[in-house]
């Protein structure tokens, strides 16, 4: 695409943002009820869908097909205009879609991809109380019974399970196989009998995560995705969607609105009328963070472009996930430091926002969500060392 075409597209997105992003959404979503949160998220998704901005990363035949340079501009402008995030649809748009496109049958794709565009919500049923970073240690069991699988077990850290219609579920179908060999991947209807969901109240006051208890839940064999006992390999594709293309939007938000709020925080006078930004140490910290954020945004754009070209290396997504998560932690930690005692009294942050809301203490507490779940920083470093740098593998378990 020519520079003139990209400039015209940017102008179109800017005009759309000015006309469609609710100006008071942060106030309205702070302390919102679950019903108001869900209604707002559904409305925002349909606004984006109508404009053609909801699934730019999907193939054209399913409603996407936006060229990579335009995707970059889209996320830059949404971040610059402080647009709400598609929190509820995140798993559906990225994890579920990537899984279905990689290994789903034609029937599964036709059934679910169109339903996602109509508002179908998904949850990821991977982690368990004894299988977090070591996901392959999962114990939820699925046994074949006629035309169904019968599943029993427990899942945890299931984001948005209380709202979900469907679940991406990993369960062990061969208890005798090595732990990475006996896992299968299912599409589970969350309205099935035997499913109990319990939200987990977090330190920030939110209940973003849930536990799921599965008691003899019947899943039709037609809802198996991929081959039986081959779910581990497919799960890596799902996690790759989280660690790869989705990071472009998050990096733009952190480096745009998030950093802008941090600078504004540093410009607020303290009780003595002094502004932290006038302190040389604070100014130096801001400069360092801006450099790191510029690097992150460039790294994510490069990853997206190489993904489109088919030249992504095995550890590249882990590099981005590690860099983003630890930079998010450093930045929100600094925000909590400079906001002082008044920041300790902020007890709520807006729903439909990101991990950089400007409620710095809550943001910092929430930032640990990124360095532990979804593959801890230690796991990411192992992947980078072994798959990226070719270092010797860690010793196998005895």
């Amino acid at each position: 695409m020519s520079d003139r075409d990209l400039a015209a597209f940017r102008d179109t997105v800017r005009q759309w943002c000015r006309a469609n992003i609710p100006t008071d959404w942060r106030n309205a979503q702070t302390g919102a009820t679950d019903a108001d949160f869900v209604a707002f998220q559904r409305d925002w998704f349909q606004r984006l869908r109508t404009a053609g901005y909801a699934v730019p990363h999907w193939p054209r035949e399913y409603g996407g097909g936006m060229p990579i340079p335009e995707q970059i501009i889209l996320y830059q402008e949404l971040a610059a205009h402080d647009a709400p995030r598609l929190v509820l649809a995140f798993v559906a748009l990225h994890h579920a879609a990537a899984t279905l496109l990689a290994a789903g049958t034609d029937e599964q794709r036709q059934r679910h991809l169109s339903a996602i565009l109509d508002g179908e919500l998904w949850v990821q049923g991977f982690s368990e109380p004894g299988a977090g970073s070591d996901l392959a240690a999962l114990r939820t069991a699925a046994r074949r019974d006629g035309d169904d699988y019968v599943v029993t077990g427990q899942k945890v850290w299931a984001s948005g399970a209380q709202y979900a219609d469907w679940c991406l579920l990993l369960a062990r179908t061969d208890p005798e196989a090595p732990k990475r060999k006996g896992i299968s991947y299912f599409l589970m209807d969350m309205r099935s009998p035997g499913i109990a969901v319990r939200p987990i109240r977090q330190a920030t006051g939110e209940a973003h995560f849930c536990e799921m208890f599965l008691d003899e839940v019947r899943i039709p064999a037609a809802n198996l995705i991929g081959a039986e006992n081959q779910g581990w390999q497919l799960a890596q594709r799902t996690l790759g969607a989280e660690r790869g293309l989705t990071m472009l939007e998050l990096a733009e938000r952190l480096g745009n609105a998030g950093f802008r709020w941090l600078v504004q925080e540093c410009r607020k006078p303290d009780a003595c009328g002094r502004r932290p930004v006038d302190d040389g140490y604070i100014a130096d910290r801001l400069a360092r963070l801006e450099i790191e954020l510029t690097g992150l945004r460039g790294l994510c754009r490069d990853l997206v472009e190489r993904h489109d070209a088919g030249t992504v290396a095995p550890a590249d997504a882990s590099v981005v996930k590690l860099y983003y998560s630890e930079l998010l932690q450093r930045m929100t930690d600094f925000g909590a430091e400079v906001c002082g005692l008044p920041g300790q009294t902020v007890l709520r942050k807006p729903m439909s926002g990101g991990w950089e809301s400007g409620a710095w203490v809550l943001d910092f507490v929430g930032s640990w969500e990124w360095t532990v779940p979804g593959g801890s920083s230690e796991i990411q470093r192992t992947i980078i060392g072994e798959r990226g740098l070719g270092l010797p593998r860690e010793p196998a378990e005895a």
Side-chain angles (χ1 to χ4, degrees):
M1 301 184 68
S2 69
D3 291 344
R4 179 176 296 180
D5 290 338
L6 292 176
F9 178 73
R10 186 182 295 277
D11 185 61
T12 298
V13 175
R14 284 177 176 170
Q15 293 183 39
W16 184 89
C17 287
R18 295 185 187 117
N20 288 275
I21 296 174
T23 56
D24 64 340
W25 76 265
R26 286 189 171 274
N27 288 332
Q29 285 286 285
T30 301
T33 65
D34 277 4
D36 288 341
F37 169 58
V38 173
F40 177 83
Q41 283 281 304
R42 291 188 181 280
D43 176 73
W44 177 238
F45 176 79
Q46 291 306 322
R47 288 196 200 193
L48 288 166
R49 179 191 179 187
T50 300
Y53 298 157
V55 291
H57 57 294
W58 285 18
R60 184 174 301 277
E61 60 266 31
Y62 294 107
M66 183 180 290
I68 292 298
E70 290 190 357
Q71 288 189 48
I72 293 171
I73 289 172
L74 173 63
Y75 288 126
Q76 286 175 338
E77 292 302 321
L78 289 173
H81 289 83
D82 189 27
R85 282 190 64 240
L86 290 174
V87 180
L88 279 185
F90 184 87
V91 174
L93 297 180
H94 299 289
H95 299 167
T99 304
L100 289 162
L101 290 169
T105 64
D106 289 341
E107 183 179 355
Q108 288 169 341
R109 291 193 190 105
Q110 292 297 329
R111 159 66 182 85
H112 290 294
L113 292 176
S114 60
I116 288 171
L117 290 177
D118 289 334
E120 184 176 84
L121 301 177
W122 285 71
V123 62
Q124 184 175 296
F126 282 18
S127 296
E128 298 182 5
S133 292
D134 184 15
L135 181 59
L138 66 87
R139 299 174 61 185
T140 294
R143 58 178 173 82
R144 187 67 183 260
D145 182 25
D147 292 333
D148 297 335
Y149 287 87
V150 180
V151 183
T152 297
Q154 180 183 353
K155 297 293 179 178
V156 72
W157 312 128
S159 302
Q162 66 269 52
Y163 312 115
D165 302 302
W166 284 81
C167 174
L168 298 170
L169 182 75
L170 292 182
R172 190 165 298 284
T173 42
D174 185 353
E176 304 301 322
K179 63 181 186 179
R180 286 178 173 80
K181 301 294 184 181
I183 296 171
S184 295
Y185 204 129
F186 298 94
L187 310 178
M188 181 176 72
D189 189 336
M190 289 293 288
R191 293 155 293 194
S192 303
I195 301 175
V197 175
R198 185 172 69 186
I200 302 170
R201 187 65 57 184
Q202 298 159 235
T204 58
E206 301 168 304
H208 179 60
F209 300 117
C210 296
E211 293 177 287
M212 295 195 304
F213 300 90
L214 312 177
D215 182 14
E216 298 286 298
V217 179
R218 302 190 76 88
I219 300 177
N223 286 3
L224 176 71
I225 187 164
E228 184 177 276
N229 297 324
Q230 298 299 311
W232 177 258
Q233 292 79 3
L234 181 54
Q236 303 315 300
R237 298 287 296 270
T238 303
L239 293 174
E242 176 179 283
R243 297 170 187 161
L245 296 179
T246 62
M247 301 306 302
L248 174 64
E249 176 191 0
L250 297 178
E252 289 298 329
R253 289 180 179 275
L254 188 65
N256 197 308
F259 185 70
R260 186 168 67 241
W261 293 326
L262 183 60
V263 173
Q264 290 173 358
E265 190 69 53
C266 291
R267 285 175 174 161
K268 294 178 182 177
D270 61 17
C272 299
R274 297 171 299 196
R275 301 189 311 163
V277 74
D278 294 330
D279 181 276
Y281 169 75
I282 299 297
D284 181 69
R285 290 282 298 273
L286 285 172
R288 289 173 180 269
L289 284 170
E290 185 173 22
I291 291 169
E292 289 187 273
L293 289 164
T294 300
L296 172 67
R297 295 166 77 181
L299 188 65
C300 288
R301 290 194 291 271
D302 178 67
L303 177 63
V304 170
E305 290 167 353
R306 286 189 294 108
H307 183 278
D308 187 54
T311 59
V312 175
D316 287 354
S318 290
V319 171
V320 170
K321 197 270 187 184
L322 178 66
Y323 189 12
Y324 170 82
S325 60
E326 296 196 349
L327 178 53
L328 172 68
Q329 208 164 83
R330 290 193 296 275
M331 182 168 155
T332 54
D333 184 19
F334 181 55
E337 179 183 341
V338 297
C339 73
L341 288 176
Q344 312 295 320
T345 65
V346 177
L347 303 179
R348 295 185 301 185
K349 57 187 290 186
M351 304 172 78
S352 300
W355 283 269
E356 65 297 308
S357 71
W360 295 110
V361 175
L362 296 180
D363 287 342
F364 176 59
V365 173
S367 71
W368 292 85
E369 176 182 340
W370 268 95
T371 55
V372 180
S376 68
S377 292
E378 291 75 16
I379 294 292
Q380 301 310 318
R381 286 186 169 89
T382 298
I383 293 173
I384 293 167
E386 294 178 355
R387 303 180 192 174
L389 301 177
L391 298 178
R393 295 181 63 85
E394 289 192 352
E397 295 181 8

